[in-house]
Amino acid sequence: MQHIELMAPAGNFESLQAALDNGANSIYFGVEQLNMRARATLNFTIADLPEIARRCETKNVRTYLTLNTIIYDHDLSIVKTLLKQAKEANITAVIAMDQAVIASAREIGMEVHISTQLNITNIETVKFYAMFADTMVLSRELSLRQVKKITEHIEKEQIKGPSGRLIEIEIFGHGALCMAVSGKCYMSLHSHNSSANRGACKQNCRKKYTVIDQETGFEMELDNEYIMSPKDLCTIDFLDEIVDAGIKVLKIEGRGRAPEYVAKVIKCYRDAIDSVANETYSKEKVISWMQELEKVYNRGFWSGYYLGQKLGEWSTGSGSHATQKKVYLGKGTHFYPKAKIAEFKIEAFDITVGDTILVTGPTTGAKEMEVTDMMVNDLKSDKGSKGDLVTIPIDFRIRPSDKLYKIVENKVEA
């Protein structure tokens, strides 16, 4: 079986580096306000485009700019400026849903990918957008059987994009799902005047609600199911079927998630994709990957619409079901390259030999390791506390102000 492209989210340079370090084939990111995660994460700026392209080019990783919100007239000049800068920085493609963005990108010869917001569900729509785009994200509501039928038609009819290559089909593989059709939701706009379709979703669907019968006044608290908050999508346990369906790109959701989330999820899916390709994919490996995925932010997992079930896998809480969490300890202060020793200033809580630590930073990404040896204020010790300078043998370079965390077990309520 062929390898499929693993596409990672990047909400900042920490997550970008985590994606690169853990085997992503491509990354997608937003710039300032014109993307569907404008509120959820800091995003990048136009000035960051050359550095994003540089880091990714060194690892032969493709870069996709998400510009997939609703566009108003006053946005058009910004759109054109952003696309021009992205093209000059050698960003690979733009992910778009608005015809103005698609047309502007085509005018300057920039590769276009169609966002899931356009809700492509059939081969005739694929043929139409093939005039403009080389890759298309299908509607999230399709089953794998429906997806496979579309990829077979593309092959049979030799449907090609502007590049002259066969159209590539992309689907979401892991992460948050929205109850709205392909993310087109108006609940946040209605309740908070904050449009999800402009990247400013308030996520009020994730809360607990009370239903009131208007005729009788009877109230029912929905305390066991958050009925507008689906569990997170997870496809790692049927990834072989996804590859068999002819999908070329597997997209991991999570531009608003932490860098350790990106690192963990990308590593698991990298291993899984490689295992499918070399025919070592197994039930035992799936169990191990699932245990790893459960350690980082999630609302519980289900397989979405791909296997044909009706929507009904609701989250049982408003927060994360992760089995682990990070606790802030301090910051990096120095790195001794010859000895491979990292120095940290402890600002909160204790660190002890045997702890699993996480180091994050814009250049470092997200690195996890176990503390096997430690010096505290230049003396050998098993424990460091607030105010101490701690040095730890480490197999990667840290930078000043890298953040240090301890990974601990997270008690999740049933």
Side-chain angles (χ1 to χ4, degrees):
M1 288 185 177
Q2 65 174 358
H3 273 74
I4 61 176
E5 179 181 318
L6 177 59
M7 183 176 172
N12 53 34
F13 277 115
E14 292 182 1
S15 294
L16 171 64
Q17 195 60 46
L20 297 179
D21 291 341
N22 286 279
N25 302 116
S26 59
I27 63 103
Y28 66 105
F29 64 96
V31 169
E32 295 168 355
Q33 295 303 305
L34 294 178
N35 71 92
M36 293 300 285
R37 292 295 180 272
R39 175 181 173 273
T41 183
L42 296 175
N43 289 298
F44 294 97
T45 67
I46 289 179
D48 292 326
L49 291 172
E51 176 64 11
I52 293 168
R54 185 195 67 78
R55 288 201 199 185
C56 293
E57 284 170 359
T58 59
K59 295 215 173 183
N60 197 30
V61 169
R62 289 164 63 86
T63 49
Y64 306 137
L65 167 67
T66 59
L67 223 171
N68 57 345
T69 60
I70 290 173
I71 301 297
Y72 296 132
D73 282 326
H74 66 260
D75 298 320
L76 293 176
S77 62
I78 301 172
V79 166
K80 292 183 178 181
T81 298
L82 179 52
L83 288 172
K84 180 175 179 291
Q85 293 291 326
K87 174 76 173 175
E88 291 176 357
N90 207 29
I91 298 301
T92 308
V94 60
I95 302 172
M97 62 88 73
D98 193 290
Q99 292 293 342
V101 180
I102 294 170
S104 295
R106 295 299 307 136
E107 283 176 11
I108 62 173
M110 190 170 188
E111 184 177 323
V112 174
H113 295 185
I114 299 297
S115 171
T116 189
Q117 270 73 32
L118 271 177
N119 204 36
I120 295 175
T121 57
N122 61 75
I123 192 63
E124 293 300 323
T125 306
V126 169
K127 289 179 184 177
F128 175 81
Y129 284 109
M131 293 187 286
F132 313 101
D134 292 289
T135 301
M136 301 179 195
V137 189
L138 296 183
S139 166
R140 297 180 189 178
E141 289 71 44
L142 294 182
S143 68
L144 270 187
R145 183 179 298 178
Q146 290 171 308
V147 172
K148 187 173 184 178
K149 188 173 181 180
I150 289 172
T151 62
E152 287 173 345
H153 273 291
I154 290 170
E155 183 72 36
K156 182 179 179 181
E157 300 181 38
Q158 290 292 291
I159 303 170
K160 297 178 180 179
S163 67
R165 305 188 306 269
L166 286 178
I167 292 295
E168 293 189 338
I169 292 301
E170 174 186 321
I171 66 168
F172 281 82
H174 190 92
L177 282 173
C178 180
M179 70 168 293
V181 175
S182 284
K184 290 185 177 179
C185 179
Y186 295 92
M187 186 173 183
S188 179
L189 179 65
H190 177 73
S191 61
H192 292 84
N193 196 30
S194 186
S195 174
N197 303 303
R198 293 277 289 176
C201 180
K202 292 289 189 180
Q203 299 223 345
N204 44 325
C205 58
R206 304 291 184 185
K207 298 178 180 178
K208 184 183 291 187
Y209 285 88
T210 299
V211 177
I212 302 174
D213 186 325
Q214 293 291 338
E215 291 185 4
T216 66
F218 175 76
E219 294 187 9
M220 179 173 63
E221 186 176 280
L222 304 172
D223 60 350
N224 63 326
E225 288 188 334
Y226 284 59
I227 64 167
M228 290 182 286
S229 180
K231 290 181 180 179
D232 284 359
L233 174 66
C234 180
T235 63
I236 206 163
D237 56 336
F238 57 97
L239 199 60
D240 52 343
E241 296 180 52
I242 285 176
V243 175
D244 183 61
I247 290 145
K248 303 298 184 184
V249 184
L250 190 73
K251 183 175 189 174
I252 307 300
E253 197 278 337
R255 279 183 292 140
R257 302 273 171 93
E260 66 270 16
Y261 172 92
V262 176
K264 183 78 70 177
V265 175
I266 294 302
K267 185 179 189 307
C268 287
Y269 276 86
R270 173 79 277 149
D271 291 347
I273 289 171
D274 292 347
S275 293
V276 172
N278 60 33
E279 299 182 350
T280 60
Y281 182 82
S282 67
K283 185 180 294 185
E284 291 73 26
K285 284 187 175 182
V286 167
I287 292 171
S288 176
W289 293 323
M290 290 295 293
Q291 289 173 344
E292 288 299 301
L293 292 171
E294 287 170 352
K295 291 179 180 179
V296 291
Y297 191 103
N298 70 85
R299 298 183 181 92
F301 296 126
W302 76 302
S303 55
Y305 301 90
Y306 292 133
L307 302 182
Q309 304 103 317
K310 66 178 182 179
L311 179 59
E313 292 286 337
W314 307 109
S315 174
T316 56
S318 59
S320 176
H321 292 200
T323 59
Q324 292 184 343
K325 65 179 180 180
K326 63 183 181 183
V327 175
Y328 179 75
L329 295 180
K331 292 180 180 178
T333 53
H334 194 71
F335 181 72
Y336 301 90
K338 289 186 178 179
K340 291 189 175 179
I341 298 290
E343 181 183 79
F344 296 94
K345 176 73 170 180
I346 304 302
E347 298 178 336
F349 298 102
D350 295 336
I351 181 172
T352 59
V353 171
D355 283 344
T356 298
I357 59 171
L358 170 73
V359 182
T360 69
T363 304
T364 305
K367 299 287 198 307
E368 195 174 305
M369 60 167 283
E370 183 180 338
V371 178
T372 57
D373 194 18
M374 187 166 59
M375 298 279 284
V376 178
N377 301 324
D378 295 326
L379 297 173
K380 189 173 179 61
S381 177
D382 289 338
K383 181 180 178 181
S385 301
K386 183 178 178 180
D388 289 338
L389 275 177
V390 172
T391 53
I392 303 169
I394 211 162
D395 61 359
F396 55 88
R397 177 180 290 273
I398 71 155
R399 284 86 183 170
S401 297
D402 274 5
K403 293 183 177 66
L404 174 68
Y405 300 90
K406 176 164 57 176
I407 301 296
V408 300
E409 294 304 305
N410 188 29
K411 293 181 180 180
V412 182
E413 293 184 7

